[in-house]
Amino acid sequence: MKYLVTGAHGQLGQELQKLLQERGLSFVALDSHQLDITDRTAVLSVFATEQPDVVLQAAAYTRVDLAEDEGRVINWQVNVEGTKNIADAAK
Ligand SMILES: NC(=O)c1ccc[n+]([C@@H]2O[C@H](COP(=O)([O-])OP(=O)(O)OC[C@H]3O[C@@H](n4cnc5c(N)ncnc54)[C@H](OP(=O)(O)O)[C@@H]3O)[C@@H](O)[C@H]2O)c1
């Protein structure tokens, strides 16, 4: 069983990696530079290459102070469209 962790440098991504390591589970963890989840082609390519069994989607736009104003567009791109890219690739 192979796990894929997105948003690997974030708080949740790092905690998930610790848990996977502690349990000796096989995983690949990618930060935003290694995999931008808004890049649909890149997401599909990573899934094709890594063939994960389980995806732990920890990539997110988390600037809640900006999310409804100047961050609205990037919020939608990452949290809605990016997460949809992950879900579609997982299908
Ligand atoms: N922390 C908690 O206690 C907690 C609890 C429950 C649920 N959650 C949920 O877990 C998710 C992550 O939260 P967090 O606390 O870990 O936030 P975080 O520390 O801000 O981490 C989010 C990570 O997502 C990355 N990211 C942003 N845009 C991206 C993109 N386009 N492609 C790939 N990666 C991208 C960021 O990369 P950069 O560092 O490069 O910006 C960052 O490393 C959120 O949905 C949050 O609601 C968190």
Side-chain angles (χ1 to χ4, degrees), residues 31-56:
D31 65 26
S32 61
H33 301 292
Q34 295 164 307
L35 177 63
D36 176 352
I37 65 164
T38 68
D39 182 342
R40 189 174 178 85
T41 303
V43 170
L44 293 172
S45 171
V46 161
F47 272 71
T49 305
E50 299 295 344
Q51 300 275 312
D53 300 293
V54 176
V55 184
L56 301 172

Side-chain angles (χ1 to χ4, degrees), residues 6-13 30-33 35-38 57-62 74 78-79:
T6 60
H9 275 181
Q11 190 180 352
L12 181 63
L30 303 176
D31 65 26
S32 61
H33 301 292
L35 177 63
D36 176 352
I37 65 164
T38 68
Q57 163 38 11
Y61 179 80
T62 56
I74 184 72
V78 177
N79 293 348

Side-chain angles (χ1 to χ4, degrees), residues 14-32:
Q14 292 188 48
E15 288 301 319
L16 288 169
Q17 287 175 76
K18 273 189 222 156
L19 292 170
L20 291 165
Q21 252 160 5
E22 283 169 12
R23 286 162 176 73
L25 297 168
S26 170
F27 69 95
V28 60
L30 303 176
D31 65 26
S32 61

